[in-house]
Amino acid sequence: SLLPGEANVFFEGTFVAKTYIDPNNIRDTLNISLGRDKRIVVKREKLKDFSSKKFIGTNQKESFAYEISVRNTKSEVIKIVVEDQIPISSNSQIEVTAEDLGGAKYDKITGKLTWELTLQPNEMKKVKFAFGVKYPKNEVLSGL
Protein backbone atom coordinates (compact mmCIF):
# COMPACT_ATOMS: atom_id res chain seq x y z
CA SER A 1 0.00 0.00 0.00
CA LEU A 2 2.96 2.32 -0.59
CA LEU A 3 2.91 5.02 -3.24
CA PRO A 4 5.96 5.57 -5.42
CA GLY A 5 7.96 8.63 -4.49
CA GLU A 6 10.70 10.25 -2.48
CA ALA A 7 10.97 9.49 1.24
CA ASN A 8 12.95 11.06 4.06
CA VAL A 9 14.83 8.59 6.25
CA PHE A 10 15.16 9.27 9.97
CA PHE A 11 17.31 7.14 12.28
CA GLU A 12 17.09 7.55 16.05
CA GLY A 13 15.24 10.84 15.60
CA THR A 14 17.80 12.35 13.21
CA PHE A 15 17.41 12.92 9.46
CA VAL A 16 20.02 10.78 7.66
CA ALA A 17 19.04 10.61 3.98
CA LYS A 18 16.50 10.84 1.20
CA THR A 19 15.56 7.76 -0.79
CA TYR A 20 13.13 6.77 -3.52
CA ILE A 21 10.53 4.09 -2.85
CA ASP A 22 9.27 2.13 -5.83
CA PRO A 23 6.59 -0.30 -4.61
CA ASN A 24 6.51 -2.01 -8.01
CA ASN A 25 9.95 -3.51 -7.29
CA ILE A 26 9.25 -4.53 -3.70
CA ARG A 27 8.32 -8.03 -2.66
CA ASP A 28 7.73 -8.93 1.01
CA THR A 29 10.79 -7.05 2.33
CA LEU A 30 11.75 -3.42 1.90
CA ASN A 31 15.49 -2.79 2.26
CA ILE A 32 16.47 0.80 2.97
CA SER A 33 20.01 1.96 3.63
CA LEU A 34 20.21 4.12 6.72
CA GLY A 35 23.73 5.20 5.91
CA ARG A 36 26.78 4.83 8.10
CA ASP A 37 26.36 4.59 11.87
CA LYS A 38 29.14 6.74 13.31
CA ARG A 39 29.02 4.84 16.61
CA ILE A 40 30.20 1.63 14.96
CA VAL A 41 33.86 1.95 14.00
CA VAL A 42 35.20 -0.43 11.33
CA LYS A 43 38.83 -0.53 10.24
CA ARG A 44 40.52 -2.81 7.65
CA GLU A 45 44.30 -3.14 7.59
CA LYS A 46 46.74 -5.18 5.54
CA LEU A 47 48.97 -7.25 7.84
CA LYS A 48 52.48 -6.80 6.50
CA ASP A 49 53.98 -9.43 8.84
CA PHE A 50 51.80 -12.12 7.24
CA SER A 51 52.09 -10.93 3.63
CA SER A 52 54.92 -12.21 1.46
CA LYS A 53 56.21 -12.73 -2.07
CA LYS A 54 58.04 -15.91 -3.16
CA PHE A 55 59.41 -17.25 -6.44
CA ILE A 56 58.68 -20.92 -7.15
CA GLY A 57 60.16 -22.11 -10.45
CA THR A 58 58.47 -20.21 -13.27
CA ASN A 59 55.78 -18.87 -10.94
CA GLN A 60 55.61 -16.44 -8.11
CA LYS A 61 53.34 -16.66 -5.11
CA GLU A 62 52.10 -13.71 -3.09
CA SER A 63 50.36 -14.06 0.24
CA PHE A 64 48.02 -11.40 1.57
CA ALA A 65 46.58 -11.09 5.07
CA TYR A 66 44.06 -8.59 6.38
CA GLU A 67 42.55 -7.73 9.74
CA ILE A 68 39.15 -6.13 10.20
CA SER A 69 38.38 -4.58 13.58
CA VAL A 70 34.85 -3.63 14.60
CA ARG A 71 34.19 -1.51 17.68
CA ASN A 72 30.77 -0.82 19.18
CA THR A 73 30.72 2.57 20.92
CA LYS A 74 26.97 2.39 21.51
CA SER A 75 25.43 1.76 24.91
CA GLU A 76 23.52 -1.31 23.66
CA VAL A 77 24.39 -4.72 22.21
CA ILE A 78 24.57 -4.86 18.40
CA LYS A 79 24.54 -7.63 15.83
CA ILE A 80 26.53 -6.88 12.70
CA VAL A 81 27.37 -8.74 9.52
CA VAL A 82 30.90 -8.07 8.24
CA GLU A 83 31.62 -8.93 4.61
CA ASP A 84 34.81 -8.98 2.57
CA GLN A 85 36.01 -10.87 -0.46
CA ILE A 86 38.87 -13.05 -1.65
CA PRO A 87 39.66 -12.49 -5.34
CA ILE A 88 38.35 -14.95 -7.92
CA SER A 89 40.53 -15.79 -10.89
CA SER A 90 39.07 -16.07 -14.38
CA ASN A 91 42.52 -16.89 -15.81
CA SER A 92 43.56 -20.58 -15.60
CA GLN A 93 47.22 -19.55 -15.09
CA ILE A 94 46.36 -17.57 -11.95
CA GLU A 95 45.48 -19.65 -8.90
CA VAL A 96 43.91 -18.10 -5.78
CA THR A 97 43.80 -20.12 -2.56
CA ALA A 98 42.10 -19.31 0.73
CA GLU A 99 44.76 -19.82 3.41
CA ASP A 100 42.94 -18.65 6.56
CA LEU A 101 39.27 -17.72 6.61
CA GLY A 102 39.21 -16.54 10.23
CA GLY A 103 35.98 -18.40 10.95
CA ALA A 104 34.06 -16.76 8.10
CA LYS A 105 31.42 -18.38 5.95
CA TYR A 106 33.04 -18.67 2.52
CA ASP A 107 31.31 -18.75 -0.86
CA LYS A 108 33.79 -20.33 -3.30
CA ILE A 109 31.90 -19.08 -6.35
CA THR A 110 31.90 -15.37 -5.44
CA GLY A 111 34.84 -15.34 -2.99
CA LYS A 112 32.62 -13.65 -0.41
CA LEU A 113 33.54 -13.94 3.28
CA THR A 114 30.85 -13.33 5.90
CA TRP A 115 31.17 -12.98 9.67
CA GLU A 116 28.13 -12.55 11.93
CA LEU A 117 29.27 -10.75 15.09
CA THR A 118 27.56 -9.73 18.32
CA LEU A 119 29.28 -6.90 20.16
CA GLN A 120 28.56 -5.76 23.69
CA PRO A 121 28.66 -2.02 24.49
CA ASN A 122 32.21 -0.64 24.07
CA GLU A 123 33.49 -4.03 22.84
CA MET A 124 35.92 -4.51 19.96
CA LYS A 125 36.32 -7.69 17.90
CA LYS A 126 38.89 -8.47 15.25
CA VAL A 127 38.69 -10.95 12.38
CA LYS A 128 41.60 -11.97 10.18
CA PHE A 129 41.80 -13.68 6.83
CA ALA A 130 44.55 -14.59 4.39
CA PHE A 131 44.81 -15.79 0.82
CA GLY A 132 47.52 -16.65 -1.67
CA VAL A 133 47.87 -15.91 -5.37
CA LYS A 134 50.12 -18.03 -7.60
CA TYR A 135 50.81 -16.72 -11.10
CA PRO A 136 53.46 -16.80 -13.87
CA LYS A 137 56.47 -14.50 -13.36
CA ASN A 138 55.72 -12.62 -16.58
CA GLU A 139 52.15 -11.69 -15.48
CA VAL A 140 51.43 -8.38 -13.77
CA LEU A 141 48.62 -8.41 -11.21
CA SER A 142 46.79 -5.30 -10.17
CA GLY A 143 44.10 -4.53 -7.64
CA LEU A 144 45.26 -6.84 -4.84
Side-chain angles (χ1 to χ4, degrees):
S1 63
L2 292 172
L3 294 174
E6 198 172 83
N8 293 326
V9 180
F10 289 82
F11 181 64
E12 295 180 349
T14 304
F15 174 78
V16 291
K18 283 187 179 256
T19 188
Y20 185 81
I21 296 177
D22 183 4
N24 298 325
N25 293 327
I26 299 172
R27 291 198 166 74
D28 66 339
T29 303
L30 174 63
N31 292 320
I32 297 177
S33 173
L34 298 178
R36 180 178 163 262
D37 188 338
K38 294 178 182 167
R39 294 178 294 163
I40 300 171
V41 181
V42 180
K43 189 173 170 184
R44 181 180 187 261
E45 293 180 308
K46 185 176 181 182
L47 299 174
K48 293 183 177 155
D49 294 344
F50 296 98
S51 299
S52 64
K53 191 174 197 176
K54 298 175 188 172
F55 294 96
I56 305 167
T58 60
N59 294 320
Q60 58 184 342
K61 182 178 181 190
E62 289 190 60
S63 294
F64 301 90
Y66 292 91
E67 178 180 77
I68 301 171
S69 61
V70 183
R71 185 175 54 195
N72 175 17
T73 63
K74 293 182 166 200
S75 58
E76 65 260 5
V77 176
I78 63 164
K79 290 184 179 182
I80 187 167
V81 176
V82 177
E83 296 179 338
D84 208 315
Q85 185 177 21
I86 290 177
I88 300 296
S89 174
S90 58
N91 183 337
S92 62
Q93 294 182 324
I94 301 172
E95 181 183 324
V96 179
T97 55
E99 295 174 354
D100 179 9
L101 300 177
K105 292 178 188 170
Y106 177 52
D107 184 336
K108 291 182 180 180
I109 296 169
T110 63
K112 186 173 163 181
L113 301 171
T114 306
W115 294 268
E116 294 178 9
L117 305 176
T118 301
L119 289 112
Q120 300 298 319
N122 296 313
E123 181 182 13
M124 178 196 274
K125 287 190 178 175
K126 295 181 179 184
V127 293
K128 296 177 185 176
F129 69 97
F131 62 92
V133 181
K134 183 177 170 185
Y135 58 96
K137 285 181 184 176
N138 60 347
E139 292 282 334
V140 177
L141 298 183
S142 62
L144 293 177

